[in-house]
Amino acid sequence: VLGVQSHHELGADAVRYTTMSGTSMATPHVAGVVALMLQANPSLTPDQVREAIRSTARAMPAYQTHQVGAGYIDALAAVNAVR
């Protein structure tokens, strides 16, 4: 449903630099946001969680909804929306 792009900048002594994107990266990030939302409001239903994530997501310019879903997840906005 949502996409997350993760850039890991490692220190000067690091072996490599990695960029990953797609649902394999989005899933753990979204699960973490859902955990924060449920911590803020344990009585949320799955439908309420989905709506809060969708309604607070930021659009991804240059992409259509059918390509990327609701857009970039906004963790702070999603948690604040369910408090």
Side-chain angles (χ1 to χ4, degrees):
V1 172
L2 303 172
V4 172
Q5 188 169 28
S6 182
H7 296 281
H8 302 283
E9 293 188 28
L10 306 174
D13 60 342
V15 176
R16 66 180 194 198
Y17 172 85
T18 291
T19 298
M20 300 171 74
S21 65
T23 57
S24 295
M25 286 302 298
T27 300
H29 286 85
V30 173
V33 173
V34 171
L36 292 170
M37 292 168 67
L38 290 170
Q39 183 178 24
N41 185 348
S43 66
L44 290 172
T45 66
D47 287 339
Q48 290 170 319
V49 169
R50 181 176 51 237
E51 179 55 31
I53 289 173
R54 286 181 176 170
S55 67
T56 59
R58 290 182 286 122
M60 297 175 74
Y63 291 98
Q64 301 285 325
T65 302
H66 72 276
Q67 294 173 302
V68 295
Y72 292 113
I73 193 165
D74 186 330
L76 181 59
V79 171
N80 287 339
V82 300
R83 287 189 177 183

